[in-house]
Amino acid sequence: MPAAPRRRASRTVTIGVVAALAATLTGCGQGTNVSEDYAQICRDNATEKRLPDDDCNNHGGSAHWYYLPLGSSSRNVPAVGDRASGGVDTLPGGKTAAKGISGDGASVSRGGFGGSGSDGSHGG
């Protein structure tokens, strides 16, 4: 019965491929897709370094929310401790911000599953 081992091997390969595809589709892959216009992070305005989000939730001082624009291509959101620049201190009117971006840093792109995929020009 030489056919039985081949079937098991095929099933093993199929299961592995399905598992890898599932991990990619559930956000365990390389990047994060969002529908918002900006990525909201906490930043120390004095040093321009990213802080843990809890610093903006619990303290005053130089910790403030900072908004990084998300365009049509992916954007690297810095990890906690890395320099964060290229954003704005105030979220523009009519725009939305993705919260809870990984403190380890992440590649974030606009227009993922359920996203608008637009150029972000809606609102004010």
Side-chain angles (χ1 to χ4, degrees):
M1 294 195 171
R6 266 191 231 135
R7 285 186 185 160
R8 279 188 223 136
S10 294
R11 288 180 187 154
T12 303
V13 170
T14 302
I15 290 170
V17 170
V18 170
L21 180 60
T24 301
L25 293 175
T26 58
C28 296
Q30 290 292 321
T32 301
N33 292 309
V34 299
S35 60
E36 289 83 4
D37 305 301
Y38 287 78
Q40 176 181 303
I41 62 170
C42 185
R43 182 178 91 145
D44 182 321
N45 285 346
T47 64
E48 295 188 347
K49 291 191 177 184
R50 184 173 178 191
L51 300 170
D53 286 352
D54 283 346
D55 285 7
C56 284
N57 291 329
N58 301 324
H59 308 128
S62 60
H64 296 280
W65 291 116
Y66 190 69
Y67 303 92
L68 299 169
L70 301 174
S72 58
S73 60
S74 66
R75 176 180 189 108
N76 290 323
V77 175
V80 170
D82 290 345
R83 186 171 183 268
S85 62
V88 294
D89 293 323
T90 304
L91 186 64
K95 301 298 181 182
T96 58
K99 301 174 184 176
I101 306 294
S102 172
D104 295 331
S107 175
V108 179
S109 58
R110 189 163 184 270
F113 294 114
S116 63
S118 69
D119 64 359
S121 62
H122 68 279

